[in-house]
Amino acid sequence: TVVAAGTAVPEERALLYEMRKGWAVVQATLGEIEKVYVASNADASNKDKLTEVLETGWATVHVGYIKPLVSLLPLKEASAKATYERSSAMNATLNVASIVLPVTLTSLILVVVFWVMRSITTSLRDAVSMARQVADGDLSTTITVDRHDEMGLFQGWNTCIDQLETFAQRPR
């Protein structure tokens, strides 16, 4: 059984407990080895004592600490792999979202920009068309103004054309 990082399954807990108990043996054995090694440097007759400590003490270290450690490593590796796979799956979702969101927002912005530009250019196209008709002498033309923004100012053109028509009808 693999669980999230930071938690341990019962098997892991038991192995860690064995290692914790074995650590005292490791420290004692290493201390004994160091003591005999230092003594063997001073007196060559202690070399056999060093061999004896290594042969007996190391077996105890191996059983009490190294075997549980060797058993624990595959469990920790499986746990790390499961954590990595979960992170990778979450990362894939975030990658898709990081692509879809900007594309969607960019599309919406482009639609709004297109709509605004079309609205402005349509009003300007109507105004230019009316100005050409007036320039060609058609004073009966009017512009339909149904807006209350800057383009709504074209209402003044209708007044201007009415004044021109009145002026053109006066006797000379």
Side-chain angles (χ1 to χ4, degrees):
T1 305
V2 178
V3 293
T7 62
V9 294
E11 187 178 357
E12 286 181 10
R13 278 191 224 120
L15 291 169
L16 288 169
Y17 179 73
E18 284 182 48
M19 288 175 63
R20 209 171 298 121
K21 285 189 329 186
W23 184 246
V25 175
V26 170
Q27 287 180 319
T29 303
L30 290 176
E32 186 66 25
I33 291 171
E34 182 180 15
K35 187 169 81 174
V36 173
Y37 181 75
V38 169
S40 71
N41 281 340
D43 184 6
S45 64
N46 285 336
K47 296 235 187 240
D48 291 334
K49 177 89 169 143
L50 180 61
T51 303
E52 179 186 326
V53 169
L54 285 172
E55 287 176 355
T56 59
W58 200 251
T60 308
V61 167
H62 185 74
V63 169
Y65 192 79
I66 295 176
K67 276 190 172 184
L69 177 62
V70 168
S71 299
L72 182 65
L73 289 176
L75 295 174
K76 289 298 186 179
E77 184 179 334
S79 175
K81 184 177 180 183
T83 301
Y84 171 77
E85 288 171 357
R86 276 193 310 279
S87 296
S88 293
M90 286 184 353
N91 192 24
T93 303
L94 291 174
N95 283 341
V96 169
S98 70
I99 292 170
V100 169
L101 184 64
V103 167
T104 303
L105 289 176
T106 302
S107 299
L108 286 173
I109 290 171
L110 288 175
V111 166
V112 169
V113 166
F114 177 76
W115 178 72
V116 168
M117 287 176 46
R118 185 169 165 235
S119 173
I120 292 171
T121 56
T122 300
S123 296
L124 288 174
R125 191 177 311 118
D126 291 346
V128 168
S129 173
M130 186 198 78
R132 284 192 178 131
Q133 288 174 350
V134 170
D136 290 340
D138 182 7
L139 297 178
S140 65
T141 188
T142 60
I143 190 166
T144 305
V145 179
D146 58 354
R147 297 170 55 166
H148 301 289
D149 58 3
E150 293 82 6
M151 296 300 145
L153 297 174
F154 284 119
Q155 182 63 40
W157 278 97
N158 288 334
T159 306
C160 180
I161 293 170
D162 289 343
Q163 293 294 328
L164 281 173
E165 191 173 14
T166 302
F167 183 73
Q169 290 175 355
R170 278 193 200 162
R172 295 186 183 169

